Amino acid sequence: MRKKKKDIIKTLATHSKDVGSAEVQIGLLTEKISQLSVHFKKFKKDKHSTLGLAKSVNKRKKLLAYLKKKNTDSYQKVIKQLNLRK
């Protein structure tokens, strides 16, 4: 997980020391969402983690809306890189 996290930060960072921009947060949330969806395929009755999944999806949605409003070029780059919005 740690190596994946560093790779996500490295690919989406806007500058060399960037670890908290909207782009990076969206990338990390996307990774978390994909891991939780794999988890739910194995454990269908895990209802407590569904709350965490819903919160993550909503937070990513809000961050994407913010990024779209503030910086559309960066928004398009993130969408393309993470394969969101088909």
Side-chain angles (χ1 to χ4, degrees), residues 4-85:
K4 232 179 208 182
K5 186 174 179 180
K6 285 184 180 181
D7 290 341
I8 292 169
I9 291 171
K10 196 183 298 181
T11 56
L12 293 172
T14 55
H15 54 82
S16 62
K17 296 187 187 237
D18 179 21
V19 291
S21 68
E23 294 90 342
V24 172
Q25 289 182 50
I26 291 167
L28 294 175
L29 283 169
T30 302
E31 178 61 29
K32 181 179 179 181
I33 290 166
S34 66
Q35 285 183 349
L36 279 172
S37 61
V38 169
H39 170 79
F40 287 128
K41 287 179 182 155
K42 193 184 278 186
F43 303 102
K44 291 176 177 42
K45 294 187 176 184
D46 185 358
K47 299 300 177 194
H48 291 306
S49 296
T50 55
L51 181 65
L53 177 65
K55 285 181 178 180
S56 297
V57 169
N58 288 330
K59 186 166 187 151
R60 182 179 71 179
K61 184 178 174 183
K62 287 178 186 176
L63 283 167
L64 282 167
Y66 167 80
L67 194 60
K68 187 175 184 179
K69 187 170 69 172
K70 291 291 181 183
N71 189 351
T72 53
D73 295 335
S74 182
Y75 171 79
Q76 293 296 330
K77 179 187 144 203
V78 168
I79 292 296
K80 191 172 196 173
Q81 201 165 5
L82 297 175
N83 285 337
L84 300 173
R85 311 238 198 267

